[in-house]
Amino acid sequence: MDLALRAALLGWEFVYVGDVKVKSELPSSLGAYRSQQHRWSCGPALLFKKMLREIVAAERVPAWKKLYIVYNFFVTRRVVSTFFTFFFFSVLLPAKTLFPQVRIPTWQMVCVPTATTLLNSAGTPWRRSAHLVVPWVAFENAMALHRFKAILIGLFEAGRANEWIVTRKSGNGRPTPGAEGRRLKRRCRLHWLELLVGALLLASGCYDCVHGHGYFYLFALPQSIMYFAIGFELLGVHHTS
């Protein structure tokens, strides 16, 4: 991403060639996926902080292209969409449920973050997995917490900002000796931040269901289940064949 940005600031033009096929592999476990998403969120935030001055001062790039790089390449797709998804579903939703006096329209509470998540997936193949849209939206909303934390780490250059961990590939080979033991250790790992948010959503959903302030529990309870699944690492335990 750093090289692509520097090349764009030098006025280079890019051509996407669709008929060139390159082998790739999706992360085979939740831990590998979380590591990848941390890198993909923290890295651009750190790059944006380091390169903003060079973007503004670039002489070979017109002003509209600079605006596109800042607005679309960084702010909208990396920061705003992640913040909206996390803040609306994980902060405003329990706040609205636990404090009924807070007046927030339903379309803002639910439709805005859901539309943001779906629009981020526009252009990707979805016909064979359309039946997974609902759990996928819940999963993306829960992962937004992890991504937003990584963005803050990148912007403030804290903790793992400059750490580079390559996503582990499993390939088609047999598990290496000791892999089963490591997998059991990974199962026991807890992600306390996700568990805390999941407990908050569970409490707010139960409160809304009992006191009948609305139908927000229909969104809070499934979302809390997904947070618990990620917090206890119940996803991605078994490799696909």
Coordinates of all heavy atoms in Angstrom, one line a residue, residues 93 96-97 106 110 204-205 208-209 212-222:
L93 N -26.5 1.3 20.3 CA -27.6 0.3 20.5 C -27.9 0.0 22.0 O -29.0 0.1 22.5 CB -27.4 -1.0 19.7 CG -28.5 -2.0 19.7 CD1 -29.8 -1.5 19.2 CD2 -28.0 -3.3 18.9
K96 N -29.2 3.2 23.8 CA -30.6 3.4 23.5 C -31.5 2.5 24.2 O -32.6 2.8 24.7 CB -30.9 3.2 22.0 CG -32.3 3.2 21.5 CD -33.0 4.5 21.7 CE -34.4 4.4 21.1 NZ -35.2 5.6 21.4
T97 N -31.1 1.2 24.4 CA -31.9 0.2 25.1 C -31.9 0.5 26.6 O -33.0 0.4 27.2 CB -31.4 -1.2 24.8 OG1 -31.3 -1.4 23.4 CG2 -32.2 -2.2 25.4
T106 N -34.9 4.8 14.6 CA -34.5 3.4 14.3 C -33.7 3.3 13.1 O -32.7 2.5 13.0 CB -35.8 2.6 14.2 OG1 -36.5 2.7 15.4 CG2 -35.4 1.1 14.0
V110 N -30.0 1.2 13.0 CA -29.9 -0.1 12.4 C -29.5 0.0 10.9 O -28.6 -0.6 10.4 CB -31.2 -0.9 12.5 CG1 -31.0 -2.3 11.8 CG2 -31.5 -1.1 14.0
S204 N -28.3 -5.5 27.6 CA -29.3 -4.5 27.1 C -30.4 -5.2 26.3 O -31.5 -4.7 26.3 CB -28.5 -3.5 26.2 OG -27.9 -4.2 25.1
G205 N -30.0 -6.3 25.6 CA -31.1 -7.0 24.9 C -32.1 -7.6 25.8 O -33.3 -7.6 25.5
D208 N -34.3 -4.9 27.2 CA -35.3 -4.4 26.3 C -36.4 -5.4 26.1 O -37.6 -5.1 25.9 CB -34.6 -4.1 24.9 CG -35.5 -3.6 23.9 OD1 -36.0 -2.4 24.1 OD2 -35.8 -4.3 22.9
C209 N -36.0 -6.7 26.1 CA -37.1 -7.7 25.9 C -38.0 -7.8 27.1 O -39.2 -8.0 26.9 CB -36.4 -9.1 25.8 SG -37.5 -10.5 25.4
G212 N -39.8 -4.1 27.3 CA -40.6 -3.8 26.1 C -40.5 -2.4 25.6 O -41.5 -1.8 25.3
H213 N -39.3 -1.8 25.6 CA -39.1 -0.5 25.0 C -39.1 -0.4 23.5 O -39.1 0.6 22.9 CB -37.8 0.2 25.6 CG -37.8 0.4 27.1 ND1 -38.8 1.2 27.7 CD2 -37.0 -0.1 28.1 CE1 -38.6 1.2 29.0 NE2 -37.5 0.4 29.2
G214 N -39.0 -1.6 22.9 CA -38.9 -1.6 21.4 C -38.5 -3.0 21.0 O -38.6 -4.0 21.8
Y215 N -38.0 -3.1 19.8 CA -37.6 -4.4 19.3 C -36.1 -4.4 19.0 O -35.6 -5.2 18.2 CB -38.4 -4.7 17.9 CG -39.8 -4.8 18.1 CD1 -40.7 -3.7 17.9 CD2 -40.4 -6.0 18.5 CE1 -42.1 -3.8 18.1 CE2 -41.8 -6.1 18.7 CZ -42.6 -5.1 18.5 OH -44.0 -5.2 18.6
F216 N -35.4 -3.6 19.8 CA -33.9 -3.6 19.6 C -33.3 -4.9 20.1 O -32.1 -5.2 19.7 CB -33.3 -2.4 20.3 CG -33.7 -1.1 19.7 CD1 -34.6 -0.2 20.3 CD2 -33.1 -0.7 18.5 CE1 -34.9 1.0 19.7 CE2 -33.5 0.5 17.9 CZ -34.4 1.4 18.5
Y217 N -33.9 -5.7 20.9 CA -33.3 -6.9 21.3 C -33.2 -7.9 20.2 O -32.3 -8.8 20.2 CB -34.2 -7.6 22.4 CG -35.6 -8.0 22.0 CD1 -35.8 -9.3 21.5 CD2 -36.7 -7.2 22.1 CE1 -37.0 -9.7 21.1 CE2 -37.9 -7.6 21.7 CZ -38.1 -8.8 21.2 OH -39.3 -9.3 20.8
L218 N -34.0 -7.7 19.1 CA -33.8 -8.6 17.9 C -32.5 -8.3 17.3 O -32.0 -9.2 16.5 CB -34.9 -8.3 16.9 CG -36.3 -8.6 17.4 CD1 -37.4 -8.2 16.4 CD2 -36.5 -10.1 17.7
F219 N -31.9 -7.2 17.5 CA -30.5 -6.9 16.9 C -29.5 -7.1 18.0 O -28.4 -7.6 17.7 CB -30.5 -5.5 16.4 CG -31.5 -5.1 15.4 CD1 -32.7 -4.5 15.7 CD2 -31.3 -5.5 14.1 CE1 -33.7 -4.2 14.8 CE2 -32.3 -5.2 13.1 CZ -33.5 -4.6 13.5
A220 N -29.8 -6.8 19.2 CA -28.7 -6.8 20.3 C -28.4 -8.3 20.7 O -27.2 -8.6 20.8 CB -29.2 -6.1 21.5
L221 N -29.4 -9.1 20.8 CA -29.1 -10.5 21.2 C -28.3 -11.3 20.2 O -27.3 -11.9 20.5 CB -30.4 -11.2 21.5 CG -31.1 -10.7 22.8 CD1 -32.4 -11.4 23.0 CD2 -30.3 -10.7 24.0
P222 N -28.6 -11.3 18.9 CA -27.8 -12.0 17.9 C -26.4 -11.4 17.8 O -25.4 -12.1 17.7 CB -28.5 -11.8 16.6 CG -29.9 -11.6 16.9 CD -29.9 -10.8 18.2

